[in-house]
Amino acid sequence: MSDPAAVLHPLTERYASWLALPDHLTADTSDEDPEDVVLMPVVLRIERGTPPARTALLEAAAVSALSVCLDERSAPEGPWHAAVSEWVAGRIRKVTRRARGSHWRAVEDFAGVTVSVGGAEARALLPTRLSEMPRELTRLQISGSELPHDDPGEPPAGVPVLWLNPEVDMSAGKAAAQVGHATMILAALLHGDVCTGGQRSARADRELRGWVDDGFRCAVRTPSPEQWRELLPTEDPATAWHRRGVAAVRDAGFTEIDPGTVTVLAQWPR
């Protein structure tokens, strides 16, 4: 069986160097044409009369983004491989839009993966250049995806937990993109461990394949400020991952929040 996360290898290599940058980093986009930027569209289904629960929708978005990357169609011989590998090798930007009714049904015609969690639905689509994004997607609203915060209770045992920064106010759309980054980083780090060899490699291989079989189930929660500070890595990224199973998502600062902000702490179950 082929390695299901091989397409994420470039992300594995970049993770530590990205976190090592100064906290005040600014995203250097001087080398790119805005129309040539490659994005993964993530569409959130938010019906007017029956909006989903915020936490369930974020969990669906987190799973859908990784599901596209590790789908068999994204494997080297698959039809999605070129699009996904090019995107992962660059900046893994996502754009989150909302849809309902006929607009949602139109989105389902595009290549991607829909995930449902607790009645909430999100669909991550194949990465595409901004200039090539079809009208059916560009017409969807980016704003207006806010949903009231809910209380989902304690996370279930044995699943990865994506902890949202309690001191940063993010819209549901922004948070959806960030938890999508988090699941990708978790899978990439497990893949990196698989590639190192030895006892840890065998364990990581079992854990990664078990997560694949479980449909990448995860929990999104917001800790207290005190819990957040306890989870926040104070050691180097590699040590935080191998000792505590914690990985951090730092935002580049393109939208909503300051560059360098840690938006999500992804905690792998130990």
Side-chain angles (χ1 to χ4, degrees):
M1 183 183 296
S2 62
D3 181 355
V7 73
L8 296 177
H9 183 63
L11 182 56
T12 308
E13 293 185 325
R14 286 204 312 274
Y15 175 69
S17 60
W18 172 244
L19 286 190
L21 293 174
D23 290 342
H24 61 276
L25 79 94
T26 56
D28 181 9
T29 58
S30 60
D31 61 339
E32 64 185 19
D33 179 348
E35 289 298 304
D36 204 42
V37 169
V38 179
L39 304 163
M40 171 183 275
V42 178
V43 184
L44 310 177
R45 185 177 187 181
I46 304 179
E47 298 290 345
R48 190 190 305 275
T50 55
R54 189 178 197 268
T55 296
L57 188 62
L58 295 182
E59 290 175 354
V63 174
S64 68
L66 181 57
S67 295
V68 169
C69 296
L70 271 58
D71 190 281
E72 61 181 12
R73 289 165 289 187
S74 298
E77 67 279 5
W80 292 1
H81 180 72
V84 173
S85 60
E86 178 187 7
W87 175 63
V88 173
R91 299 182 174 98
I92 56 167
R93 294 192 194 175
K94 298 180 179 73
V95 58
T96 306
R97 299 178 183 270
R98 60 181 175 88
R100 59 175 177 258
S102 61
H103 288 176
W104 172 258
R105 291 190 291 274
V107 165
E108 291 182 302
D109 291 335
F110 295 104
V113 176
T114 297
V115 172
S116 178
V117 174
E121 290 183 284
R123 184 171 180 83
L125 304 178
L126 204 59
T128 182
R129 281 180 169 73
L130 183 60
S131 60
E132 299 171 359
M133 193 174 294
R135 168 65 178 162
E136 289 87 348
L137 294 180
T138 59
R139 72 184 179 184
L140 299 178
Q141 294 292 318
I142 297 177
S143 61
S145 62
E146 194 45 70
L147 294 166
H149 290 266
D150 56 341
D151 184 7
E154 292 295 317
V159 302
V161 183
L162 314 179
W163 300 100
L164 299 172
N165 189 332
E167 299 174 341
V168 174
D169 186 22
M170 292 184 283
S171 68
K174 179 70 173 181
Q178 299 302 298
V179 294
H181 296 339
T183 53
M184 288 179 61
I185 289 171
L186 281 180
L189 292 175
L190 285 171
H191 168 261
D193 283 346
V194 169
C195 293
T196 58
Q199 183 177 1
R200 176 57 194 168
S201 172
R203 176 182 171 185
D205 185 48
R206 289 193 303 271
E207 290 178 338
L208 180 56
R209 293 182 187 281
W211 200 25
V212 172
D213 293 341
D214 198 30
F216 309 115
R217 191 162 66 104
C218 60
V220 174
R221 296 293 188 270
T222 302
S224 68
E226 294 75 22
Q227 289 174 312
W228 175 264
R229 286 190 287 272
E230 290 177 2
L231 285 166
L232 196 65
T234 56
E235 63 272 68
D236 66 273
T239 300
W241 169 247
H242 288 113
R243 287 185 179 175
R244 301 194 287 128
V246 174
V249 178
R250 287 183 64 184
D251 193 63
F254 293 115
T255 60
E256 291 194 25
I257 59 180
D258 294 334
T261 301
V262 175
T263 55
V264 180
L265 292 176
Q267 187 177 30
W268 187 258
R270 292 297 196 212

